Structure formats: C-alpha cells, structure tokens
Amino acid sequence: MDKNSPAPDSSEPGEWETLGQQLAFLQMTAEDRRRLRALAPRLNASSDAFVEQFYRHLFSFKETARFLKDPEVVARLKSAQQAHLQSMLEDDVNDDYIAQRRRVGDVHAHVGISPQMFLGAYNQYLQYGLKELATAGDLPLPEYVEQIQSLLKAVFLDLQLTLEAYFSEATQNLRQALDMVFRANTELRQFAQLTSHDLKTPLATVANLCDEALDEFGSSMPAGAVELVEAAKQRTYRMSVMIDELLELSASVEDFEANVTIDSRQVLDEVIDRLGPRLSQQEIELKLAPDLPPVWGNRVRLREAFYNLLSNAVKFMDKRPGRVAVSSQVSEDECTISIADNGSGIPRENLEQIFSPFRRLRMHHDRPGSGLGLYFAKNLVEQQGGRISVESELGRGSTFHVTLRRHA
C-alpha cells in the first residue's frame, strides 16, 4: 500500500478484499501509516534495549526459557524481532508484509509457543512504546493521542495477521488429532469385539485354578502363599471387568434397539437389583422418588448409564451410613433425573475432567477401576439426545444430573 493511498475498501477483490476489511475495521488510514513512519526513528532508536529487556523477561519464566537454550538461536531471534518491530512502523502493508506476519504465526505454532506467550510480546512492546511517547513531552495532547491511536492500530493489525496463521495451524493440528481419535476408536472397537472372549477365557481358567489351589492346598500353604494366590485371583477378576468395560465402549456406538418411551423407575429398579449386595455390605441407603417419569430413549443405554453413575456413588462412598437419593424434575419437553450422594465429593478443579476416558482422581487411586465409568455414562446419555452434568462439594458429596427428552 503506497503511503499516500487510502486503505483499500471491502469492494476490492481477492486478498485485498480481506485486508481492506481488516484495515477498515481497525480504521487504519494512510495518515496512520504516515504517523507511524514519523514515530519510527524515536521508537527504533532504543528498540535494541527493548529487545534485551524483553528477553530477560522471557528467561525469567521456565515456560519460555526452555525455547532459548542455544545462544546462537537467541541471537538470531533477537535480530529477527528487532527487524519485525521496525517493519511494523516503517513498511507498507502489502503482500510481503502479510506473508511475513503469517510466517511468524506458523513458526510460533509449529514450535509449540502458546498464544499467551505470543501475546505477551506485544503487551511488552506497547508498554515500551507508550512510555517512549510519554517521555517526549513536546507534543500537544491531541497529537499525542493520535500517535497512540496509530501505534495501537499497527499492533492490533500485526496481531490479527499473525494470529490468523497461528490458529490456522492449530486448527489443522486439531483436525489431524480428531482424525487420529476417530481411527483409534474404530480400531479399539474392532479389537474389543474380536478379542474380548478370547481374553476372558484364559482369565477364567486362571481364576478357577487359583480357587482349586486354595481349596485343595490352602490349609497346608504358608499364609503368605495363600495371600499371593488370592491376589492373583482378584487381579484376574479386575482384568475381566476391564475387558467388559472395553467391550461396552465398543458396543456403546452400536444400536441396541430403537428409542421408545421408557419407564425410568423400572430401569432404575433393574440397576438397584444388580447393586443390592454392595448397598447392603456398605450400609448405603438408596431412596427413589415415587414419581419418576417416563422418558424417551434407549432402555439398554439408559440402564447402563444409570448403572455406571450409581455404581460410582457406591464405590466412592466414604461414610457409614451412606445415602444416595434419586429424584426428578419435569418440564414440558425434558426430564432431569438427579442422583445425589453424601460421599467424598469431587474437587472443583477436577469437575471438567471426570468424563474423560481413563481419567481418575488422585484421591481415588487406591480404589479399583479403570476410569471409564463416567465416560461411558456421558456417551450413553448423549447417544439418546440427552446430556449429563455434575455438581459437587469436596467432603459433602456429588449430584449427577441426567437430562433426557420426554417425547420423540
């Protein structure tokens, strides 16, 4: 863009149309570029001192210092940054200018520098630039304000152009990651379906052999040997449960049966029947609201989702007597079934993580499990067009809300 020409408007074609819209939105004009060129000698005169100061700032944080271990690389980066800042004030906004800013964004994204670190550089430069303008003290206030506005426009244009490339790279990486997740899920489903029975058969054999050894030779075995055999048997049981959970993961994306109107009370009664012995053993009182409504969904998926939620409440109950209550709230189109317990609760900082696969809270690492239960529950509910959320207070318990449609 020639220094005497106006900023291109949004009617111009191709790349200039996009740039014109950006410049128009920032209200950057040829007059702003003129002011920036006039400011350049003053700001560039001490830009080397600014760059040195900025790199001292970077070295004070381990997150940024890890990129700056090679002195030769640091020297090149300092020189490149000084040239970049000078061009921001002096150069025309043309194709070369845009391409250079996008290269900067590409490089930052490629080496793994976070946007926070990237934005910090511009923050530091603005502080430096405003201080330099303020110390001049020889300009009328209106002209001083105009210089600040032009500098801000230049910085935000630079940020905009560079971050476009940065987030384009990040988006491409995200797409690749999602593709990898999709392929991994497909492979996991196939693996679980093909190998689950073959894996469980030898595990059952090992468990039976452990039982036989204890039955026939337990009385003559040392106590330590009995404990080892019993531990081996329990580990085979846990491995069998893991295989079942992986098989559920593969099956959770298949259609069990069509969605229908479901008696939610009947589904919960089936779940409670499965959990009965554990509820009694752990002295847990479970109360169901008497008026649980019908919902629209898949009976098998809903049963497994409720089983995972209630099983979790039982597994992590740390009080005697324990209490679990199931209630509901109904609107015209939806129904929310809530499962509340008085157990150990979940730290606030972990609430967003608990539905991720294989994620377990540090406080629960001594409990058996694979970290898949809540992941299954969330996916099973969402496959019926529902949603799941949680409220929790550490030491006082958790409440999981399952919201489902009432009608087709």
Side-chain angles (χ1 to χ4, degrees):
M1 183 173 70
D2 183 79
K3 65 180 181 180
N4 295 316
S5 63
D9 61 39
S10 60
S11 64
E12 295 179 29
E15 186 67 47
W16 284 99
E17 178 179 351
T18 302
L19 180 60
Q21 291 172 345
Q22 293 170 337
L23 295 175
F25 188 78
L26 290 171
Q27 295 182 317
M28 177 171 276
T29 66
E31 183 61 21
D32 288 303
R33 299 307 302 178
R34 185 198 64 75
R35 288 195 198 100
L36 291 170
R37 288 188 180 89
L39 287 174
R42 180 187 303 171
L43 295 180
N44 291 342
S46 56
S47 62
D48 55 342
F50 162 73
V51 170
E52 291 296 330
Q53 172 189 320
F54 175 65
Y55 272 80
R56 286 195 297 272
H57 178 74
L58 294 182
F59 277 115
S60 67
F61 294 90
K62 63 180 182 180
E63 294 84 358
T64 46
R66 65 191 178 95
F67 295 104
L68 306 171
K69 295 180 179 179
D70 187 335
E72 292 185 5
V73 171
V74 171
R76 289 199 302 270
L77 289 173
K78 288 179 178 179
S79 177
Q81 184 175 25
Q82 195 166 353
H84 182 99
L85 295 174
Q86 291 176 358
S87 70
M88 185 171 68
L89 303 175
E90 299 172 353
D91 289 358
D92 292 326
V93 180
N94 53 29
D95 290 344
D96 290 339
Y97 184 96
I98 295 169
Q100 194 274 339
R101 266 57 189 168
R102 289 179 174 168
R103 281 195 298 271
V104 171
D106 287 338
V107 170
H108 280 75
H110 182 71
V111 301
I113 296 176
S114 71
Q116 294 93 325
M117 300 178 194
F118 181 72
L119 292 170
Y122 286 96
N123 170 53
Q124 294 280 323
Y125 183 73
L126 274 177
Q127 292 183 49
Y128 154 76
L130 295 178
K131 183 178 179 181
E132 286 292 317
L133 294 180
T135 55
D138 56 353
L139 290 176
L141 182 59
E143 190 172 343
Y144 172 69
V145 171
E146 288 175 346
Q147 287 187 343
I148 291 177
Q149 290 176 335
S150 295
L151 181 61
L152 288 172
K153 291 176 186 179
V155 168
F156 279 103
L157 174 64
D158 214 65
L159 269 173
Q160 187 171 310
L161 293 171
T162 311
L163 287 179
E164 280 177 3
Y166 186 100
F167 289 116
S168 176
E169 173 81 10
T171 302
Q172 182 179 358
N173 291 340
L174 178 60
R175 289 196 186 101
Q176 292 173 348
L178 291 174
D179 288 341
M180 291 174 64
V181 169
F182 178 79
R183 289 195 297 271
N185 283 340
T186 302
E187 291 168 3
L188 175 62
R189 182 165 65 251
Q190 293 171 346
F191 167 79
Q193 291 171 340
L194 292 173
T195 63
S196 60
H197 297 296
D198 290 339
L199 288 172
K200 291 186 69 173
T201 298
L203 286 174
T205 301
V206 171
N208 289 334
L209 290 173
C210 289
D211 281 333
E212 290 179 14
L214 292 173
D215 290 342
E216 294 187 25
F217 308 109
S219 59
S220 60
M221 293 170 64
V226 171
E227 290 180 5
L228 289 174
V229 174
E230 184 66 35
K233 184 179 74 171
Q234 293 302 321
R235 289 188 179 183
T236 61
Y237 288 154
R238 286 199 292 271
M239 182 60 70
S240 181
V241 169
M242 171 69 82
I243 292 171
D244 285 338
E245 289 177 330
L246 288 172
L247 188 59
E248 282 183 37
L249 178 62
S250 70
S252 67
V253 297
E254 305 293 340
D255 286 330
F256 294 106
E257 57 188 53
N259 287 355
V260 294
T261 298
I262 306 166
D263 185 336
S264 62
R265 175 61 187 256
Q266 185 180 49
V267 170
L268 281 160
D269 284 340
E270 293 177 18
V271 172
I272 293 169
D273 185 61
R274 289 167 64 182
L275 291 172
R278 293 169 61 188
L279 294 170
S280 176
Q281 182 181 11
Q282 294 182 230
E283 300 178 19
I284 297 175
E285 178 187 8
L286 195 153
K287 288 186 177 181
L288 290 181
D291 55 349
L292 294 175
V295 296
W296 179 264
N298 182 289
R299 184 182 59 83
V300 176
R301 288 188 178 126
L302 187 60
R303 185 189 65 203
E304 294 306 313
F306 282 142
Y307 176 80
N308 279 299
L309 292 173
L310 285 168
S311 177
N312 245 37
V314 172
K315 180 190 298 184
F316 300 116
M317 180 61 67
D318 62 347
K319 298 178 179 64
R320 288 179 183 254
R323 293 191 301 276
V324 179
V326 181
S327 60
S328 66
Q329 287 187 330
V330 179
S331 66
E332 182 177 353
D333 298 319
E334 293 183 329
C335 166
T336 298
I337 297 176
S338 301
I339 299 173
D341 65 66
N342 69 331
S344 58
I346 304 165
R348 183 187 301 269
E349 63 270 18
N350 295 128
L351 286 176
E352 294 183 0
Q353 306 171 9
I354 60 172
F355 294 107
S356 300
F358 302 106
R359 295 295 292 272
R360 305 190 67 213
L361 300 181
R362 188 180 300 276
M363 59 190 287
H364 294 156
H365 279 183
D366 61 334
R367 308 287 181 91
S370 60
L372 288 170
L374 293 178
Y375 173 74
F376 289 143
K378 181 175 184 291
N379 278 272
L380 291 166
V381 169
E382 289 177 350
Q383 287 163 16
Q384 302 171 78
R387 58 188 184 275
I388 188 169
S389 61
V390 60
E391 299 175 89
S392 189
E393 186 176 348
L394 194 61
R396 303 192 65 177
S398 305
T399 302
F400 287 84
H401 304 287
V402 177
T403 300
L404 298 160
R405 293 177 294 176
R406 294 185 61 204
H407 313 289

